[in-house]
Amino acid sequence: MKSTRAAQRYAKAILDLAKDQNAAEVVNTDMIGIFNTIEHSEDLQELLASPVVKAAVKKSALKEIFKDAHTITLGAFDVLVDNNRIIQLQAVAQKYTALFNEMNHVQVAKVTTAVPLDARLEAKILEKVKELTGNTATLESIVDPSILGGFILRIGDLQYNTSVAKSLSNLSRELTNNTYISKI
C-alpha cells in the first residue's frame, strides 16, 4: 500500500510538471510505452529490482532503452533512481496514465471477447461506451476463448456481460433450481 501511494505522488508530480510545460500527452505516450515494456520484459523487471545493480547502471540502461522519451520522462528516471524508488517505475507509469485519462475525462473500457475484435467492432463498442457514460474511452481488448462467444465490457465498476459462457451458466442454474415436477 505504501508503494502505491508513493507511485501516485510521483505520477502526480510528473503530470503537474508536464502540464506546466504543455507536454502531458507526450509524457503519457512515454508512460504507456514504459509500462508495456516493463510488463513484457522480465530482464528489465529484474534489472530494476536488483539490489546488486548500481543506480548509475539502472539509470543509463533506462535512458538507452527509452532514448526517444521526453526530457520530463528522462528526468523522472533520475529522480526515481536517486530516491531509490526505481522499482516503482511501472506503477508510476500506470498511475500517470490513469491521472492523465482522468484529467481528460477518458475512461478505460476493458472488453473481453472469445476472438480478437476487428476495427469496425471496436468503433461500435467505443460509440456505445460514449453513449452510456458520456465520456470518451480507450479500449483495452482481452481475448479469452473460455467465454465461448459474446463479450464482457467493464468500465470502472460497471460490467456488462453478454458472454455465451454466462448464458449457459444461467441456463444450467435455472434447470438445476427448477422445482417443476412432471404430472405425467
Side-chain angles (χ1 to χ4, degrees), residues 57-78:
V57 173
K58 292 178 182 179
K59 203 183 288 189
S60 65
L62 287 170
K63 288 184 177 181
E64 183 61 30
I65 294 169
F66 303 106
K67 59 186 167 201
D68 295 330
H70 191 274
T71 54
I72 292 172
T73 304
L74 298 175
F77 294 157
D78 292 335

Side-chain angles (χ1 to χ4, degrees), residues 111 113 115-129 139 141 150-151 153:
V111 63
T113 56
V115 295
L117 291 175
D118 61 16
R120 187 181 58 84
L121 285 175
E122 283 186 9
K124 275 188 166 182
I125 290 173
L126 288 174
E127 282 178 27
K128 192 67 177 174
V129 169
L139 200 60
S141 183
F151 66 91
L153 177 64

